[in-house]
């Protein structure tokens, strides 16, 4: 087995992935849990052939330009790759790869958790237990809303969106979606297509965001979009925080126009608008969509497979990213 290629690993991975990296490459690691400042990563990349990064390593145009000449591949352990300037990498002849498919089911599970947590007031309910404030069972206490029979709108019916839809059908929800084009029949599975995003909004009792962060989707959930949702709707975001205008969402949650929100991702995370912490109708989690032992191991292995394909085999990545939408 070739051991000549050197790979810099930006963050510690699940143990089986680390062992496989040591088996396949000469490895270099940044110390501790990270994330590390970019200059540290760039300095340690000197003499390396490949980088294994995550969504916390922001490789913008300037960072890509500053990478040492030997870097041939950047494998990100994530499906999203908006943290990497793919075009700048392409111009330097660097292949960028991601980890699609393996995280679909775990992320869809988490999306249902957000939907349930928001609909059933899980934040307020859990606080009663955590703070020892539970007085009595109450016929009128902590009333949420049914998901059964409600309309689920999905922005971005790709792999994860379709897995969310499958689960939601089992909950008795009616599925609607908006993509730039209708999804193939095996993906849409009878869901109602809305060619206009505005029409999806009007048809969504629960709106789930499953679109990638792109120039077209950033800020797409603004005051106008929120006003088009039916009163009492729920917003769920397990995609990227920058799809949402925080001021507009917080205003809609405060006014009662929205019943609740379930959020796993935030603009500028891990810092988030502190008002989200205070709002009782925000069920928030710290970006754990793919965080299961099985899925994170599979994601790590997928990133390693891509490095192996490019650096040790025929040079052809298994999951090269393209500049189209990621779902
Ligand atoms: C997580 O958000 C990912 O892009 O994999």
């Amino acid at each position: 087995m070739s051991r000549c290629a050197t790979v810099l690993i930006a963050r510690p991975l699940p143990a089986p992935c680390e062992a496989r990296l040591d088996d396949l490459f000469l490895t270099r690691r940044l110390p501790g849990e990270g994330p590390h400042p970019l200059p540290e990563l760039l300095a340690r990349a000197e003499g390396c052939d490949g980088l294994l990064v995550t969504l916390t390593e922001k490789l913008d145009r300037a960072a890509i330009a500053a990478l040492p000449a030997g870097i041939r591949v950047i494998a990100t352990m994530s499906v999203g790759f908006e943290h990497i300037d793919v075009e700048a990498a392409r111009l330097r002849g660097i292949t960028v790869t991601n980890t699609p498919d393996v995280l679909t089911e775990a992320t869809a599970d988490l999306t249902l958790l957000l939907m349930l947590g928001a609909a059933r007031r899980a934040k307020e309910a859990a606080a009663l237990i955590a703070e020892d404030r539970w007085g009595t069972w109450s016929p009128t206490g902590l009333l949420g809303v049914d998901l059964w029979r409600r309309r689920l709108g999905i922005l971005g019916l790709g792999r994860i969106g379709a897995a969310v839809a499958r689960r939601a059908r089992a909950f008795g929800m009616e599925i609607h979606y908006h993509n730039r084009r209708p999804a193939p029949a095996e993906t849409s599975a009878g869901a109602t297509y809305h060619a206009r995003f505005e029409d999806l909004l009007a048809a969504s009792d629960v709106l789930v965001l499953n679109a990638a962060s792109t120039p077209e989707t950033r800020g797409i959930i603004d005051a106008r979009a929120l006003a088009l949702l039916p009163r009492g709707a729920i917003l769920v975001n397990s995609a990227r925080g920058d799809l949402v205008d925080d001021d507009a969402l917080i205003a809609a949650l405060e006014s009662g126009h929205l019943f609740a929100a379930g959020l796993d991702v935030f603009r500028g995370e891990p810092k988030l608008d502190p008002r989200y912490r205070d709002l009782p109708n925000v069920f928030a989690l710290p970006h754990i969509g793919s965080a299961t032992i099985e899925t994170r191991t599979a994601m790590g292995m997928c990133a390693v497979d891509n490095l192996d394909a490019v650096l040790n085999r025929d040079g052809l990545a298994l999951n090269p990213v393209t500049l189209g939408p990621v779902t």
Side-chain angles (χ1 to χ4, degrees), residues 55 77-80 99 103 239-240 287 290 299:
L55 50 82
M77 182 183 153
S78 60
V79 67
T99 60
L103 47 54
R240 284 293 183 265
H287 202 153
S290 61
M299 289 167 71

Side-chain angles (χ1 to χ4, degrees), residues 41-77:
L41 181 127
L42 294 173
R44 292 288 289 160
E46 202 53 59
C48 290
D49 306 283
L51 301 181
L52 201 165
V53 300
T54 72
L55 50 82
T56 55
E57 282 68 54
K58 311 284 180 213
L59 297 174
D60 60 10
R61 188 168 295 268
I64 297 285
L67 283 175
I71 297 292
R72 282 186 279 151
V73 54
I74 301 170
T76 181
M77 182 183 153

Side-chain angles (χ1 to χ4, degrees), residues 30-209:
L30 293 173
E33 173 60 33
H36 295 270
L38 211 51
E40 206 176 318
L41 181 127
L42 294 173
R44 292 288 289 160
E46 202 53 59
C48 290
D49 306 283
L51 301 181
L52 201 165
V53 300
T54 72
L55 50 82
T56 55
E57 282 68 54
K58 311 284 180 213
L59 297 174
D60 60 10
R61 188 168 295 268
I64 297 285
L67 283 175
I71 297 292
R72 282 186 279 151
V73 54
I74 301 170
T76 181
M77 182 183 153
S78 60
V79 67
F81 51 83
E82 74 288 341
H83 53 293
I84 301 175
D85 190 323
V86 175
E87 180 57 11
R90 191 185 67 78
L91 291 172
R92 280 203 58 184
I94 299 172
T95 301
V96 179
T97 69
N98 69 341
T99 60
D101 298 317
V102 290
L103 47 54
T104 298
E105 302 300 325
T107 308
D109 283 350
L110 195 280
T111 305
L112 268 288
L113 173 61
L114 293 172
M115 204 187 292
L116 286 163
R120 299 302 298 271
R121 301 176 60 176
K123 177 180 183 175
E124 294 163 90
L128 288 191
I129 300 289
E131 296 161 18
D132 197 15
R133 288 190 289 107
W134 185 20
T136 177
W137 183 90
S138 159
T140 56
L142 284 174
L143 301 187
V145 293
D146 282 341
L147 293 178
W148 182 60
R149 284 188 172 160
R150 283 214 150 76
R151 297 166 301 170
L152 171 65
I154 298 178
L155 174 64
L157 191 79
R159 291 172 287 236
I160 297 171
V164 170
R166 263 202 321 278
R167 286 159 174 75
R169 275 189 200 97
F171 277 66
M173 299 183 85
E174 184 186 301
I175 315 297
H176 296 249
Y177 74 102
H178 168 75
N179 284 1
R180 277 185 294 195
R181 281 175 290 283
E186 64 271 22
T187 304
S188 62
T192 303
Y193 176 61
H194 297 270
R196 284 168 18 102
F197 177 48
E198 291 76 8
D199 295 337
L200 176 74
L201 292 168
S204 299
D205 299 313
V206 178
L207 179 70
V208 166
L209 308 181

Side-chain angles (χ1 to χ4, degrees), residues 1 3 9 13-25 27 29 301 304:
M1 188 150 299
R3 275 188 154 271
I9 305 156
L13 304 193
C17 309
E18 294 280 354
R20 190 137 173 277
L21 280 161
D22 287 333
D23 200 33
L24 291 171
F25 306 105
T27 48
R29 292 174 173 81
M301 290 300 188
V304 177

